[in-house]
Amino acid sequence: MATPSDIATVRTVPEAIHRRRWAILVVLMFSVLIVVLDNSILNVAMKTISQPEPTGLGATQSELEWAINSYTLVFAGLLFTAGLFGDRIGRKKILLAGMLVFGIGSVLAAFSGSPAELITYRAVMGLGGALVMPATLAILMNVFERDEQPKAIGIWVAAVGLAIAIGPITGGILLEHFWWGSVFLVNVPVVIVGLIAMVVLVPDSRDPSPGRFDPIGVLLSVIGLVLLVYGIIKGGQLADFADPEVLGTSGGGLLVLLLFVWYERRVEHPAIDISYFRKPAFSAAIAAIALVFFALMGVTFFIVFYTQSVRGYSALESGLLLLPLAGAQLIFAPRTRLVVDRFGARAVCTAGMVVIAGTLAGFLLLDVDSPIWVLEVLFFLQGAGMAHIMPPVTVAIMQSLPRDKAGSGSALNNTFRQVGGALGVAVLGSLLSTTYRNGIDDELKAVPGLSDEQRHSAGESIEATLGAAQRMGEQGKALVAPAHDAFIHAMHLTAVAAAGVAVLGALVVAVFLPGKQPAPAQRPGAPGGGDEPGAAGTAGAAGAAGSVGGPNTLEAHR
């Protein structure tokens, strides 16, 4: 005889889809993997692309930055809109379209004939990525029962962590054997296999009652996010957030987003229900994601320079050094729900944030000749901290919203993560750059024969200083040690600032994220009642209502 829990399972997810849910998760993981992996691969290829043809494209520093930033700008600007369209017209359709666009953009980028073409095609890839990311998490929420969602989200988060590490490794291997375009062309077979698997395995789902379309709200969200992210990126490039262009674009973006919030509170059919942000679990989780990615992405920006420019590791070796970070996430993220069940989301996320802050402060232990195992331990602890933050806060966000609004929830989750990361790279990267320039400026002034323009160019980064030193031959050797020292000092200061942001994140989740909830009363004959394990009391009534019953349109593939 079926128990009440069996009946609930049948009502929520069709049996045919429930049986293949783990295969569907693997497909979704590969979708996320390729989108996140691409950016980390490109970082490794920057040096090669900057070389003259035929080895590279002869891209300038500014062109290299925009090859990365064009992707970020389009990706962040359209994430929210992509999630909304997924809820309205079907998440599988959006996912397939995103993978196809991403694959086409990858082919075009691989055969770019100029830096301008590469920047354009990277923007196309950003459009594909924006369509893919919200759809994966939204589909996950619709193929897993509520009690299994925390475990599935933990595995999904682990895939993101894995991509961060294997990107540089894959890029390093490809660049040792093939031309620079191979770092983009490698996406194509994965896209083809992914598209076939999606057509066969992944069901479609959408919001059965999306209401009228809100074109004004969508337009305001796109304009606001694009202006804000552009201002952040430009401020990082100029190392001056008081520049009129930076203030105009980022400030204009904030004003447009405030107008968006004002409009959404008054329109009858809003693109996003602003009342979600009144839930402490939802708002605290959103803030935690933004803050942790602010801290970590800023540090990721400088660690590549430390391992390659200061310590002399190759691109491939630098990628291999990231394996402990990925390994820790693979180990802990899928199991975080068990710790949350015991201690509650608030305690677990606060502890994770404190660990992140400690590892960032731990970069103070790194010097020019520090044992490399110190960095490996820091990476492992950092990965463990991330594994105990991202799954619980993602569960808190997704289970605070009705299942029918999973696309919107996923889009908000990814948007705040992307904006937080972009802000971290810009602000902390600017701090690193300014501190480094101040540290090396006197040494550059003492070099005879350098013009003001050459001195300014050589002080932009440690790579620029070492490049100038190499061109000067014997005379330039005197710059190497001061460049290393100036960078280490700048890295330490940046790491302390990042640790401070992580501490702020710990305070936010400690105060606002709900703690462990008492176990709900069990229904007769059911193995458990109320919120299922792993939710840790973070789901509100809206989340529960969206998880069972109702005509949620999970359409099995035929």
Side-chain angles (χ1 to χ4, degrees), residues 280 283-288 291 346 350 353 502-513:
S283 294
I286 285 285
L291 290 170
R346 178 194 294 167
T350 302
M353 281 288 195
V503 169
L504 177 61
L507 292 174
V508 169
V509 297
V511 173
F512 296 107
L513 204 64

Side-chain angles (χ1 to χ4, degrees), residues 55-75:
T55 303
L57 291 175
T60 64
Q61 181 66 30
S62 176
E63 289 169 336
L64 290 174
E65 289 175 357
W66 275 111
I68 295 175
N69 293 334
S70 63
Y71 181 97
T72 303
L73 191 62
V74 175
F75 185 73

Side-chain angles (χ1 to χ4, degrees), residues 199-466:
V199 170
V200 174
L201 291 173
V202 177
D204 204 356
S205 62
R206 60 182 176 86
D207 185 349
S209 304
R212 287 201 302 269
F213 183 57
D214 177 20
I216 296 177
V218 169
L219 184 62
L220 288 174
S221 71
V222 172
I223 294 173
L225 285 169
V226 168
L227 285 175
L228 176 62
V229 174
Y230 177 85
I232 291 169
I233 290 170
K234 197 66 180 177
Q237 285 181 330
L238 299 174
D240 182 10
F241 286 89
D243 181 86
E245 183 181 0
V246 175
L247 290 176
T249 50
S250 58
L254 286 173
L255 287 175
V256 173
L257 290 175
L258 287 174
L259 179 61
F260 167 75
V261 172
W262 177 87
Y263 179 80
E264 293 300 289
R265 292 180 63 182
R266 285 158 178 78
V267 71
E268 186 176 352
H269 296 281
I272 181 68
D273 188 348
I274 302 300
S275 66
Y276 293 140
F277 286 91
R278 296 196 187 108
K279 299 178 181 180
F282 185 85
S283 294
I286 285 285
I289 283 177
L291 290 170
V292 75
F293 271 85
F294 180 101
L296 286 176
M297 291 304 290
V299 170
T300 303
F301 176 79
F302 70 64
I303 203 65
V304 173
F305 293 106
Y306 173 73
T307 56
Q308 294 188 35
S309 302
V310 176
R311 302 305 298 267
Y313 289 98
S314 68
L316 176 58
E317 290 168 337
S318 295
L320 290 170
L321 290 175
L322 288 169
L323 283 177
L325 188 149
Q329 293 198 55
L330 285 173
I331 293 169
F332 295 113
R335 297 170 174 81
T336 300
R337 73 194 190 285
L338 303 176
V339 187
V340 172
D341 288 346
R342 182 166 182 178
F343 299 105
R346 178 194 294 167
V348 173
C349 290
T350 302
M353 281 288 195
V354 170
V355 170
I356 291 292
T359 60
L360 294 173
F363 282 109
L364 293 172
L365 301 172
L366 300 176
D367 210 329
V368 177
D369 53 1
S370 302
I372 203 63
W373 63 262
V374 175
L375 178 62
E376 298 299 89
V377 170
L378 290 174
F379 275 155
F380 184 83
L381 293 174
Q382 205 168 79
M386 282 290 290
H388 288 85
I389 297 170
M390 295 310 298
V393 296
T394 304
V395 168
I397 292 169
M398 299 305 295
Q399 291 193 344
S400 290
L401 274 63
R403 176 178 278 177
D404 294 341
K405 304 295 182 184
S408 302
S410 176
L412 286 169
N413 171 66
N414 285 293
T415 299
F416 276 84
R417 183 179 70 183
Q418 194 69 23
V419 171
L423 194 58
V425 170
V427 174
L428 296 179
S430 176
L431 175 62
L432 179 78
S433 177
T434 302
T435 308
Y436 175 78
R437 182 182 289 281
N438 292 337
I440 198 65
D441 195 48
D442 289 341
E443 297 293 334
L444 291 172
K445 287 179 180 177
V447 177
L450 275 184
S451 66
D452 289 344
E453 184 180 347
Q454 289 172 324
R455 187 166 60 248
H456 181 83
S457 177
E460 285 185 350
S461 66
I462 185 173
E463 274 293 311
T465 306
L466 295 178

Side-chain angles (χ1 to χ4, degrees), residues 137-203:
L137 189 53
I139 291 171
L140 181 155
M141 296 299 292
N142 278 273
V143 299
F144 281 91
E145 297 297 343
R146 190 175 177 81
D147 63 325
E148 286 187 322
Q149 287 170 0
K151 181 178 181 180
I153 287 174
I155 297 171
W156 183 86
V157 168
V160 176
L162 179 63
I164 293 172
I166 68 172
I169 297 172
T170 306
I173 293 172
L174 289 170
L175 291 173
E176 283 188 0
H177 297 91
F178 305 101
W179 99 113
W180 64 267
S182 62
V183 301
F184 299 112
L185 208 58
V186 71
N187 296 333
V188 177
V190 181
V191 167
I192 292 172
V193 173
L195 285 171
I196 295 171
M198 288 171 195
V199 170
V200 174
L201 291 173
V202 177

